Amino acid sequence: MNLLFSYRSKAPMDVAGEAAQASSDRKDLIKVEQDLRVDLAYAALAAFQKKVVQLPRYEEPISDAPQFFIDNQLLLACELMQSYIPSNTELVELPVLPIFNQVFAIFYMLFNEDRGIIVRVRRDEMTPITGSHPKERFTQKFAGIYYLFFKPNHNTGSFEAVEPTDNDMKRNFMVLDAWSKYRVGTNGTGLDAASLDDHRDALAGSNLLWLILQYAATHPYYAGAAVAKDIDYAVGYRAVCMPPPESVAFHPTREQFPQLHLKVNLPHETRPNLYDLWMLAREHGEQRALHDNCQAIVGPFGRDFYERINRPVDFQVGHIFAASLNWIKADTEALIAKHQAAPDAIFGPFIVRVGEGCFSFVDLAKAQEVLAISNDNKKKAAYKKIHPENVSFVKA
């Protein structure tokens, strides 16, 4: 076994193979890693497709034809809807699936495997910056963070918020790391509430699958490097669905969709087909502006300068990863303690990337001054003078 240095993660990787052992040339090692990435991508796709095939269903799908049951429609969509990311490895491509299909299938898998989901939400309070500006901008302050644990309820077919057991605390689960921000003085309710407790209660009482599908339907289908990533998949989703015997209107709210659940689709059951579900999820997601909800966008001064999103957000997934409840608990408590130790910290709308981190500024001119400094250590020193209240967030 040989150690290969990953050019992407900047950390050693364990790899086996004659190519890695025979050469110390960095280009050869990079090619070995690219080969491994391609192999892993195809193995992961095959494993994913196999698990989709193994999901319980009322009847086996009709071969090469539109499907009546939504679980069979999802199976066919996962087979037919794919793109790829070009690879430098002898013209081999990395296969990718639309995020909507992936998320829906993963919820089915977790439900049938009786596995839980952790949802963590960070909240920030937005305060308008006074003065004359071309457009209204805000500073942000940390307003709290919480996490919930959802487990499958096989009677209702949904994930429900529950208190974790001691055994649950030790196990690894999928984590949906989310964020939310509200304007100071907000008097909203539910997911629009300023109160951390009210927001948590609203999320706990929501149809989690429906909320996440709204996010997935408005998210770009594929990674930015994928080929044909801008295709409108309305035609594809319609093609995998057998027309229903009669038109049924569905009227979900932001938080609830009574006809959407994860139990096996049975005959004569009123359920949305995959096309209707995708269209409704996209419609609700766009009403919530989830299609334009990046936390920060590249600003006008190059890729090391960003501007923070300039409006409230009710609930938006930022990252998906795996962790134990014990890890989430410790990490959340550490984040709370860090902000409690710096109660005056203010996070501005202008962000400058420095090394692997970034600094936020209230004043655009000050952000541009630091952006123009070439040395990272000098950038840090300048930032500490401009925003001394944020020093504890500057990594050495």
Side-chain angles (χ1 to χ4, degrees), residues 83-86 94 96 221-230:
S83 185
Y84 64 90
I85 297 175
L94 295 169
V96 288
Y221 298 125
Y222 303 114
V227 172
K229 56 182 178 292
D230 295 325

Side-chain angles (χ1 to χ4, degrees), residues 94-135:
L94 295 169
V96 288
L97 300 178
I99 184 173
F100 185 85
N101 298 353
Q102 290 185 61
V103 168
F104 197 14
I106 288 170
F107 265 76
Y108 263 114
M109 294 172 194
L110 296 177
F111 179 82
N112 286 286
E113 294 169 5
D114 203 33
R115 293 192 63 85
I117 298 172
I118 303 169
V119 182
R120 182 168 68 169
V121 184
R122 171 184 170 140
R123 306 210 71 207
D124 289 306
E125 183 179 77
M126 305 167 58
T127 300
I129 298 175
T130 58
S132 176
H133 302 283
K135 64 178 181 179

Side-chain angles (χ1 to χ4, degrees), residues 1 4 13 17 39 53 115 119 153 160 162 183 192 203 220 234 275 283 307 331 344 346-347 355:
M1 184 166 291
L4 171 65
M13 284 176 53
D39 290 344
V53 170
R115 293 192 63 85
V119 182
N153 182 323
E160 296 185 357
V162 299
R183 188 165 176 155
D192 296 317
L203 180 59
Y275 170 74
E283 177 185 332
E307 293 187 39
D331 187 67
D344 297 324
I346 293 290
F347 304 101

Side-chain angles (χ1 to χ4, degrees), residues 294-316:
C294 291
Q295 294 190 54
I297 60 173
V298 177
F301 308 111
R303 292 199 59 84
D304 284 339
F305 181 86
Y306 302 82
E307 293 187 39
R308 205 181 296 276
I309 190 172
N310 206 37
R311 54 181 170 73
V313 175
D314 54 9
F315 171 80
Q316 170 78 339

